[in-house]
């Protein structure tokens, strides 16, 4: 009767693998310590300052529920901003997605130029876009809408161009062989293959825009973020707590509905 093999760390990992893991841990730990020393930031500070954190949290409760009357208009403005920005971004991203897909755009220079432009757009954070457009168009919802449109186009085009590049090209070649033009090829061969994913990505971007519009409001780009920034500056923490709770509830509901819709599409 054979004895069962005993599993020990020495038996599980070859000596070379253990050496690699050890070296990796040492390197990561060294970089962490050097970074902590250079930035004068240590995780120990979190535990030292924990009483201050609990003290600040205590100032947020109980929430000021009477403040709801001021929240609803700004909350609806935030949702409207996200809807408008997402709708316009979806329309704009359709041609851009085709132009940045190498199996659709055969012109090398046009393809590279569009990819370069979209890379630049994705590089700029949404908060910087909001600051720029607030400076151009002034404080308000319009600046937030424009910032979110640019932000959403960068994400949508990236996602959709990759989906288009992975489609089956046989239907496209068949339509071209039978005399179909470019628009007919796109409509009958490409759209049916990418439409479910496109709708799913559009819903995902709508969720992102809801969250981003809250942050953009902190720099004056409209919506409930602008109201949140005002109450933070006035140290009205019970009102801030009320805003955060309402926004959290709305985001959870939107995430749930959007997730169910995406499950039915993909």
């Amino acid at each position: 009767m054979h004895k069962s093999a005993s599993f020990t760390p020495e038996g599980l990992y070859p000596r070379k693998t253990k050496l690699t893991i050890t070296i990796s841990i040492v390197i990561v730990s060294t970089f962490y310590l050097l970074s902590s020393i250079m930035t004068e930031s240590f995780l120990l500070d979190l535990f030292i300052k924990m009483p201050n954190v609990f003290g600040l949290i205590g100032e947020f409760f109980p929430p000021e529920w009477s403040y709801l009357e001021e929240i609803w208009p700004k909350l609806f403005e935030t949702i409207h901003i996200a809807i408008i920005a997402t709708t316009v971004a979806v329309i704009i991203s359709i041609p851009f997605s085709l132009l940045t897909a190498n199996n659709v755009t055969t012109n090398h220079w046009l393809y590279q130029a569009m990819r370069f432009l979209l890379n630049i757009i994705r590089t700029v954070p949404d908060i910087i876009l909001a600051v720029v457009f607030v400076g151009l168009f002034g404080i308000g919802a319009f600046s937030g809408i424009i910032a979110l449109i640019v932000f959403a186009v960068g994400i949508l085009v990236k996602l959709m161009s990759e989906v288009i590049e992975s489609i089956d090209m046989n239907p496209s070649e068949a339509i071209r062989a039978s005399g179909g033009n470019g628009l007919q090829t796109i409509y009958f061969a490409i759209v049916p293959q990418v439409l479910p994913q496109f709708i799913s990505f559009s819903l995902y971007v709508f969720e992102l825009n809801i969250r981003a519009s809250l942050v953009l409001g902190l720099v004056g780009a409209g919506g409930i973020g602008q109201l949140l920034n005002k109450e933070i500056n006035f140290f009205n923490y019970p009102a801030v707590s009320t805003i955060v709770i309402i926004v959290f509830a709305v985001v959870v509901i939107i995430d749930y509905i959007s997730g169910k819709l995406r499950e039915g599409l993909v």
Side-chain angles (χ1 to χ4, degrees):
M1 195 171 179
H2 297 285
K3 293 182 179 180
S4 58
S6 60
F7 291 95
T8 61
E10 290 78 9
L12 286 174
Y13 299 107
R15 181 173 297 179
K16 185 178 180 180
T17 302
K18 289 190 291 184
L19 180 62
T20 303
I21 293 174
T22 303
I23 292 174
S24 299
I25 292 174
V26 170
I27 291 174
V28 171
S29 300
T30 302
F31 275 113
Y32 166 77
L33 289 173
L34 287 174
S35 299
S36 297
I37 293 170
M38 295 297 294
T39 59
E40 298 181 358
S41 301
F42 299 90
L43 284 179
L44 184 62
D45 294 338
L46 177 63
F47 299 99
I48 294 174
K49 301 293 184 181
M50 194 59 70
N52 296 340
V53 174
F54 287 124
L56 181 61
I57 291 175
E59 295 185 25
F60 282 82
F61 294 96
E64 189 178 333
W65 296 114
S66 60
Y67 194 70
L68 285 173
E69 294 181 1
E70 295 190 44
I71 293 176
W72 296 125
K74 287 295 184 180
L75 178 64
F76 291 136
E77 182 182 46
T78 296
I79 296 173
H80 292 155
I81 289 172
I83 291 173
I84 295 171
T86 305
T87 303
V88 176
V90 165
I91 295 171
I92 294 175
S93 65
I94 293 173
F96 277 87
S97 299
L98 295 168
L99 291 172
T100 52
N102 56 15
N103 56 343
V104 176
T105 303
T106 55
N107 187 308
H108 175 75
W109 294 107
L110 177 60
Y111 169 76
Q112 291 297 336
M114 295 305 301
R115 298 284 290 195
F116 180 73
L117 175 62
L118 268 299
N119 285 335
I120 293 176
I121 291 175
R122 284 194 299 273
T123 301
V124 183
D126 53 351
I127 191 72
I128 301 300
L129 290 171
V131 171
V132 170
F133 290 119
V134 165
L136 290 174
F137 304 114
I139 292 174
F142 183 75
S143 300
I145 290 171
I146 302 299
L148 286 180
I149 289 173
V150 177
F151 169 72
V153 165
I155 296 175
L156 269 176
V157 173
K158 172 66 174 178
L159 295 173
M160 282 311 304
S161 62
E162 292 179 352
V163 171
I164 293 172
E165 288 177 347
S166 64
I167 65 172
D168 181 9
M169 293 302 294
N170 289 328
S172 301
E173 295 171 0
I175 291 175
R176 290 195 188 99
S178 62
N181 57 33
L183 289 176
Q184 290 172 327
T185 302
I186 293 171
Y187 186 78
F188 291 105
I190 297 177
V191 170
Q193 296 187 66
V194 303
L195 185 59
Q197 285 284 356
F198 186 70
I199 296 175
S200 175
F201 289 148
S202 299
L203 291 171
Y204 171 66
V205 168
F206 174 68
E207 296 175 28
L208 292 181
N209 279 343
I210 289 289
R211 296 184 180 93
S213 60
L214 177 64
V215 178
L216 300 191
L218 297 176
V219 294
I224 198 170
Q226 198 168 341
L227 184 64
L228 179 64
N229 187 45
K230 185 189 77 171
E231 298 305 332
I232 290 174
N233 291 334
F234 289 159
F235 301 103
N236 188 1
Y237 294 127
V240 171
S241 176
T242 306
I243 294 172
V244 171
I245 291 171
I246 296 300
V247 171
F248 173 76
V250 170
V251 169
V252 168
I253 293 170
I254 291 174
D255 280 353
Y256 177 79
I257 295 173
S258 180
K260 290 297 182 181
L261 290 173
R262 288 202 305 272
E263 288 176 7
L265 290 168
V266 180

